[in-house]
């Protein structure tokens, strides 16, 4: 069984059973497997799974299908082990290969209605996906549009004289050439095209349309029609624009923040750095991107940071309290940086890198070192510290005995309200009791504590401070009090939070866009596959079957001609007579036309001939539709020859001459415009002479 057919049946949401003409099961799709409950069904007769009363009905059903041209129905009971039988309606039809019978099953409800209708399902999906479709028959030059197309273009579906030119005039002038080019290129390359364009409606209203088209070719590779879809994507375009705006805002914020923002791959190579890094380390960003972070650190920190980074890659856990390390500036100076990394994951949950922010703690660290070295001189230097730090001193039980001006300003308490009180007066409730117990355990051991604390001011507002608390000892080495120095990092934390929210918003928007696009494309794919099986009218079904046969034939021809870069050549002496004869056979007045076709037996590229065939089709169509109107007889002459490495084509008819006002190089006529575009693509030329009819002289460089 052909793999394409199996793939198609597997995707259908209804049970499908393929049996031989004698009733033996050949294939059951995924939706139908529940009927057999793991039984060995391939090769078995379908009647063996039916009740006794249903077997005779089924056998009669088989005999009817062998001779009927339309879909036949049969109501049966399907047996299942240890469970009640299932009443089903079987619908079947003999396939075009006349060796296989296609059967669909539908449960019989109490009111004898099937649980769904293909037509209703089709229309529902089109409505949900906001999709319309259209068809072109080149043999009859007829276009058909569904009601959704008229809705998109805000046209009356009952209007008469609907032409492609009408829809073309509504395409935005800036997009019209793009649409025409996509249409003609897809015909030349025999590929499905997809193009997004705008339409300009009344009062300047603009909509966005996503257009797709699939050409249908006959056995000789000549186009005979096309089918396509149109989908209004205005909301999607607006969503994408919002995403771009959000990305721009996020980018501007990151680029202008004083915080150090970065991202790395899993190997620790920088993939992004904001301008703040240049200010802190002195390197141009291009000197750091694609280089590992270890190149900018002292060698003695390599092993420590390597182990920490590997542990982070394994766990993927966000570092809440920061990871401090040392970086070297371009001139060799040390900078103390505290990192707050967040892991980046792939779709399977594996860590592929990290990103986050970093704080330059160099000033804070320098201050810590000076305090350790010169705490006996703290009184002399206290004024300088007060100018840029929030300072407090507590006794051994934690009561405040000193605060500087900065402490009062940021907490909004005056000095009298603070002295004698515990730091609980500014406790925000953000940190756990264990957080402060660990803080006190550290300083009581005579060690310095570093961290970030969220405090609450008198008016209820919150602020963040990077805090260092150090014990102050007497000459005997006994702790007498504790000195805390804080730096206001509220703006940094708020910036970090804004960045985090923007990252989350960006991720949500990306998921939404991806979800919409994925659903829309899956819907289009399902519609095209469901259409053939959704038809109950045998005539419409045969048309779709014939169309699929032509597509398969076209694919076989394409495979034959284009399987390698060295394309085969075709004799124009054999190609043009057959082509012209087949095109003329389409028209009812062909009998009155006498043809003279002379072509040298020269070999020409099949790709070039495929395009020239479209041009000849348009010329003959124009002659048959317009030149011979009202005439009882006519003549078409066609000559093809090679001269000086050029293919010379001369096409003539003795019908009515084309109006002198029509310029083949500037006309808006779809057919003539298509001819001109295709000739330009082949880098050829065309000349029209209006004497006793119409004479077209075309030249193409071989």
């Amino acid at each position: 069984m052909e793999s394409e057919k199996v793939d198609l049946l597997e995707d259908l949401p209804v049970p499908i059973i393929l049996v031989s003409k004698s009733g033996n099961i050949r294939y059951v799709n995924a939706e139908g497997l529940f009927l057999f409950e793991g039984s060995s069904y391939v090769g078995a007769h379908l009647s063996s799974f039916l009740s006794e009363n249903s077997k005779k009905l089924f056998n009669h059903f088989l005999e009817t299908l062998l001779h009927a041209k339309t879909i036949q129905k049969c109501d049966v009971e399907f047996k299942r082990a240890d469970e009640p039988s299932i009443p089903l309606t079987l619908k079947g039809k003999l396939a075009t290969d006349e060796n296989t019978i296609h059967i669909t099953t539908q449960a019989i409800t109490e009111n004898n209605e099937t649980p769904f209708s293909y037509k209703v399902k089709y229309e529902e999906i089109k409505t949900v996906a906001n999709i319309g479709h259209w068809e072109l028959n080149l043999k009859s030059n007829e276009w058909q549009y569904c009601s959704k197309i008229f809705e998109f273009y805000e046209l009356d579906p009952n209007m008469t004289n609907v032409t492609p030119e009408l829809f073309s005039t509504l395409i935005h002038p800036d997009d019209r050439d793009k649409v025409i080019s996509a249409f003609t290129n897809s015909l030349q390359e025999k590929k499905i095209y997809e193009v997004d364009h705008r339409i300009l409606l009344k009062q300047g209203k603009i909509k966005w349309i996503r257009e797709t088209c699939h050409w249908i070719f006959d056995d000789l590779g000549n186009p005979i029609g096309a089918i396509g879809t149109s989908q209004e994507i205005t909301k999607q375009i607006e969503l994408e624009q919002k995403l771009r705006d959000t990305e721009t805002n996020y980018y501007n914020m990151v680029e202008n923040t004083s915080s150090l923002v970065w991202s790395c791959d899993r190997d620790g190579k920088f993939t992004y750095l904001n301008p703040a890094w240049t200010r802190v380390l002195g390197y141009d960003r291009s000197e750091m991107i694609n280089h590992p972070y270890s190149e900018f650190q002292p060698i003695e920190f390599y092993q420590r940071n390597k182990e920490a980074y590997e542990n982070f890659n394994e766990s993927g856990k966000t570092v809440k309290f920061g990871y401090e390390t040392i970086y070297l500036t371009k001139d060799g100076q040390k900078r103390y940086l505290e990192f707050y990394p967040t892991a980046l994951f792939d779709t399977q949950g594996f860590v592929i890198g990290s990103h986050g922010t970093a704080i330059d703690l160099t000033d804070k660290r320098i201050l810590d070192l000076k305090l350790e070295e010169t705490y006996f001189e703290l009184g002399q230097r206290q004024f300088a510290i007060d100018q840029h730090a929030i300072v407090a001193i507590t006794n051994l039980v934690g009561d405040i005995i000193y605060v500087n001006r900065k402490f009062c300003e940021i907490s909004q308490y005056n000095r009298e309200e603070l002295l004698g009180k515990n730091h609980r007066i500014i406790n925000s409730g953000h940190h756990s009791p264990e957080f402060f117990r660990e803080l006190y355990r550290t300083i009581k051991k005579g060690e310095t504590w570093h961290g970030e604390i969220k405090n609450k001011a008198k008016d209820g507002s919150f602020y963040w401070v990077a805090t260092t608390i150090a014990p102050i000892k007497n000459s005997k080495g006994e702790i007498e009090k504790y000195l805390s120095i804080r730096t206001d990092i509220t703006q940094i934390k708020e910036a970090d939070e804004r960045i985090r929210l923007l990252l989350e918003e960006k991720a949500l928007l990306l998921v939404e866009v991806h979800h919409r696009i994925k659903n829309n494309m899956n819907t289009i794919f399902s519609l095209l596959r469901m259409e053939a099986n959704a038809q109950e009218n045998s005539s419409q079904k045969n048309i779709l079957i014939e169309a699929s046969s032509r597509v398969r034939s076209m694919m076989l021809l394409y495979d034959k001609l284009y399987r390698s870069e060295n394309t085969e050549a075709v004799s124009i002496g054999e190609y043009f007579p057959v082509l012209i004869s087949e095109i003329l056979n389409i028209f009812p007045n062909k009998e009155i036309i006498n043809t003279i076709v002379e072509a040298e037996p020269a070999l020409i590229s099949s790709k070039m001939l495929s395009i020239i065939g479209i041009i000849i089709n348009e010329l003959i169509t124009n002659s048959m539709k317009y030149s011979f109107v009202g005439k009882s007889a006519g003549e078409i002459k066609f000559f093809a020859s090679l001269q000086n490495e050029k293919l010379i084509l001369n096409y003539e008819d003795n019908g009515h001459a084309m109006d002198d006002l029509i310029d083949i190089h500037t006309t808006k006529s779809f057919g003539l415009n298509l001819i001109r575009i295709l000739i330009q693509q082949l880098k050829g030329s065309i000349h029209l002479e209006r004497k006793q009819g119409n004479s077209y002289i075309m030249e193409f460089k071989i």
Side-chain angles (χ1 to χ4, degrees):
M1 186 179 300
E2 298 177 7
S3 60
E4 294 90 349
K5 183 182 295 183
V6 170
D7 291 341
L8 175 66
L9 297 178
E10 281 297 316
D11 291 336
L12 293 177
V14 294
I16 302 292
I17 304 173
L18 303 186
V19 302
S20 66
K21 291 194 290 186
S22 60
N24 297 95
I25 300 173
R26 292 182 173 177
Y27 166 79
V28 178
N29 74 343
E31 288 291 328
L33 292 178
F34 78 97
L35 295 171
F36 301 93
E37 296 183 334
S39 301
S40 178
Y41 58 85
V42 176
H45 201 277
L46 183 57
S47 63
S48 63
F49 297 93
L50 305 180
S51 67
E52 291 299 323
N53 293 334
S54 298
K55 290 182 178 180
K56 184 179 294 185
L57 294 173
F58 177 74
N59 290 331
H60 178 70
F61 173 62
L62 279 180
E63 294 177 4
T64 304
L65 286 173
L66 297 179
H67 306 287
K69 296 183 179 180
T70 59
I71 295 175
Q72 302 296 309
K73 297 182 181 179
C74 177
D75 293 340
V76 298
E77 290 186 347
F78 217 95
K79 296 187 303 182
R80 294 200 300 172
D82 301 326
E83 292 187 24
S85 60
I86 303 175
L88 297 174
T89 294
L90 304 183
K91 294 183 179 180
K93 190 174 187 300
L94 185 65
T96 54
D97 62 8
E98 297 187 353
N99 290 317
T100 305
I101 296 174
H102 292 205
I103 296 176
T104 63
T105 69
Q106 294 178 326
I108 301 176
T109 59
E110 293 183 359
N111 59 0
N112 294 324
E113 293 182 357
T114 58
F116 61 84
S117 163
Y118 281 120
K119 187 65 177 178
V120 172
K121 189 73 172 179
Y122 176 62
E123 293 300 328
E124 286 178 351
I125 293 176
K126 285 204 303 182
T127 300
V128 171
N130 210 22
I131 293 174
H133 73 274
W134 54 266
E135 298 180 11
L136 165 62
N137 186 331
L138 283 177
K139 289 185 177 180
S140 61
N141 201 29
E142 291 181 348
W143 294 75
Q144 293 184 355
Y145 306 93
C146 76
S147 59
K148 205 71 176 174
I149 301 293
F150 289 91
E151 178 183 325
F152 293 159
Y153 285 80
E154 299 185 4
L155 299 173
D156 183 0
N158 298 317
M159 68 186 300
T160 60
N161 196 27
V162 177
T163 63
E165 287 75 13
L166 173 61
F167 291 101
S168 178
T169 59
L170 296 178
I171 297 176
H172 196 287
D174 294 341
D175 294 346
R176 197 167 294 149
D177 289 343
K178 176 177 69 173
V179 175
I180 293 175
S181 177
F183 186 82
T184 53
N185 286 341
S186 73
L187 180 58
Q188 175 188 350
E189 299 173 3
K190 297 184 179 180
K191 293 182 179 179
I192 297 175
Y193 81 80
E194 178 179 288
V195 61
D196 296 346
H197 66 85
R198 294 163 292 176
I199 56 175
L200 187 59
L201 305 176
K202 295 179 180 179
Q203 298 179 344
K205 181 179 180 181
I206 292 178
K207 289 183 180 180
W208 277 91
I209 301 295
R210 174 163 292 155
E211 201 84 40
T212 63
C213 173
H214 179 81
W215 285 95
I216 303 171
F217 299 85
D218 62 16
D219 293 343
L220 295 178
N222 301 315
I224 59 174
I227 56 176
T229 62
S230 295
Q231 179 184 20
E232 185 187 350
I233 57 170
T234 305
K235 291 184 178 179
Q236 177 182 321
I237 294 296
E238 292 173 351
L239 183 62
E240 291 173 349
Q241 183 59 48
K242 290 181 180 179
L243 175 61
R244 286 191 290 271
D245 292 343
T246 301
E247 289 177 336
T248 299
N249 293 336
Y250 164 75
Y251 177 80
N252 290 336
M253 175 174 288
V254 170
E255 286 287 294
N256 293 297
T257 183
S258 60
S259 298
L260 300 168
V261 184
W262 54 271
S263 62
C264 284
D265 62 17
R266 186 175 174 84
D267 296 327
K269 293 182 179 180
F270 287 116
T271 57
Y272 171 78
L273 297 167
N274 72 336
W277 285 86
T278 300
R279 173 179 55 80
V280 173
L281 298 183
Y283 288 98
D284 186 81
R285 286 187 287 179
S286 62
E287 297 177 282
M288 299 183 69
I289 298 295
N290 294 324
H291 290 268
Y293 64 85
S294 57
E295 288 187 11
F296 308 97
Q297 295 181 318
I299 189 65
E300 60 267 24
F301 282 83
Y302 174 77
Q303 189 61 34
R304 167 181 173 268
N305 292 337
K306 179 176 179 292
E307 292 175 358
Y309 196 76
E310 289 175 349
N311 292 335
F312 174 76
N313 280 341
E314 291 178 3
S315 67
K317 293 182 180 179
T318 300
V319 179
K320 296 182 179 180
F321 302 111
Y323 177 80
E324 185 175 334
T325 187
I326 294 177
Y327 273 65
L328 297 176
T329 64
K330 194 169 184 178
D331 58 4
Q333 300 298 314
K334 291 182 178 180
R335 303 296 292 185
Y336 294 83
L337 305 181
E338 190 168 51
F339 285 78
Y340 294 83
T342 300
L344 294 172
F345 300 92
D346 62 15
T347 55
Q348 297 182 353
F350 294 105
V351 176
I352 59 173
S354 58
H355 62 177
T357 60
I359 301 174
D360 182 7
L361 299 179
T362 304
D363 292 342
K364 178 174 174 288
R365 285 290 167 263
I366 292 175
L367 179 60
D368 291 342
L369 293 174
K370 287 182 178 180
L371 285 173
E372 292 175 2
E373 295 173 356
T374 62
Y375 67 93
F376 288 112
E377 302 175 7
L378 181 61
Q380 291 87 346
R381 302 184 180 182
Q382 185 171 329
F383 175 78
I385 295 173
D386 284 348
Q387 301 309 303
H388 67 274
I390 302 165
V391 181
I393 300 176
T394 63
N395 59 22
L396 293 178
V397 295
D399 296 329
I400 298 172
I401 59 177
Y402 170 82
V403 292
N404 70 343
R405 178 175 56 84
K406 283 283 187 181
F407 195 112
C408 296
E409 289 176 354
I410 195 168
S411 69
Q412 301 179 22
Y413 290 98
N414 59 44
R415 185 173 281 104
E416 288 70 26
E417 292 176 302
L418 293 169
L419 295 179
K421 301 293 193 304
N422 191 279
H423 273 81
R424 284 190 291 271
I425 192 174
I426 56 173
N427 190 339
S428 66
H430 177 78
H431 306 284
S432 66
E434 180 58 31
F435 175 86
F436 291 107
R437 282 195 290 268
E438 178 61 27
L439 184 157
Y440 284 115
R441 279 196 294 266
T442 300
I443 61 177
K444 284 182 179 180
K445 289 189 298 183
E447 299 174 356
T448 301
W449 184 89
H450 306 286
E452 295 179 352
I453 300 177
K454 183 178 182 180
N455 290 330
K456 183 178 181 180
K458 186 177 182 179
D459 67 350
S461 61
F462 298 97
Y463 61 94
W464 282 88
V465 287
T467 304
T468 296
I469 303 177
I472 298 177
K473 302 177 182 180
N474 58 23
S475 57
K476 297 179 180 181
E478 299 170 338
I479 299 175
E480 289 188 339
K481 48 196 169 185
Y482 300 102
L483 170 67
S484 62
I485 299 178
R486 302 172 175 88
T487 303
D488 182 7
I489 60 170
T490 305
Q491 291 183 351
I492 295 174
K493 299 294 286 188
E494 290 175 348
D496 291 345
E497 179 64 12
R498 287 195 296 271
I499 292 172
R500 184 187 66 80
L501 293 174
L502 281 171
L503 286 170
E504 292 179 354
E505 181 182 0
K506 176 185 177 182
L508 288 173
L509 286 172
L510 286 172
V511 169
E512 175 66 11
V513 170
H514 175 70
H515 179 70
R516 286 174 179 254
I517 293 175
K518 180 179 179 182
N519 282 350
N520 288 341
M521 293 307 297
N522 284 335
T523 300
I524 294 172
F525 177 78
S526 298
L527 281 173
L528 293 174
R529 292 204 168 201
M530 289 174 60
E531 184 66 30
N533 289 308
Q535 302 298 325
E536 295 186 1
N537 182 286
S538 61
S539 175
Q540 294 178 356
K541 191 176 188 73
N542 287 334
I543 290 173
L544 290 170
I545 291 174
E546 291 173 3
S548 64
S549 297
R550 293 191 184 101
V551 170
R552 286 198 298 271
S553 299
M554 179 272 294
M555 293 173 64
L556 291 173
L557 178 61
Y558 183 87
D559 181 66
K560 178 181 178 182
L561 295 177
Y562 301 99
R563 65 179 64 197
S564 68
E565 290 298 324
N566 296 322
T567 58
E568 298 179 10
V570 177
S571 171
I572 61 176
E574 298 173 358
Y575 179 76
F576 285 127
V578 175
L579 173 68
I580 293 172
S581 176
E582 288 188 358
I583 296 174
L584 286 171
N585 284 336
I586 299 172
F587 298 92
N589 58 340
K590 61 185 178 184
E591 301 298 334
I592 68 170
I593 305 302
N594 178 50
T595 58
I596 299 175
V597 180
E598 296 179 6
E600 294 181 358
L603 296 178
I604 300 298
S605 164
S606 58
K607 291 184 179 180
M608 173 179 283
L609 283 183
S610 177
I611 300 174
I612 293 175
I614 299 172
I615 297 171
I616 300 303
N617 180 76
E618 290 298 322
L619 292 175
I620 294 175
T621 300
N622 282 343
S623 296
M624 299 302 288
K625 290 177 64 177
Y626 306 110
S627 297
F628 298 126
V629 173
K631 286 183 172 291
S632 59
E635 186 175 75
I636 290 177
K637 296 180 181 180
F638 179 82
F639 305 95
S641 62
L642 288 181
Q643 301 176 19
N644 299 324
E645 297 184 348
K646 289 185 178 180
L647 175 62
I648 310 297
L649 303 180
N650 190 341
Y651 174 90
E652 301 176 7
D653 69 51
N654 63 349
H656 300 298
M658 190 181 298
D659 194 327
D660 290 335
L661 296 178
I662 298 177
D663 185 351
I664 192 172
H665 298 289
T666 60
T667 179
K668 299 298 183 180
S669 166
F670 179 83
L672 293 177
N673 194 33
L674 178 59
I675 291 172
R676 177 178 57 81
I677 292 173
L678 293 177
I679 288 176
Q680 288 177 349
Q681 289 176 353
L682 293 177
K683 295 182 172 56
S685 64
I686 184 171
H687 174 67
L688 170 60
E689 295 180 359
R690 304 174 179 90
K691 295 179 181 178
Q692 295 179 351
N694 303 285
S695 176
Y696 299 84
I697 301 173
M698 294 161 282
E699 293 185 6
F700 305 93
K701 186 175 181 181
I702 303 302

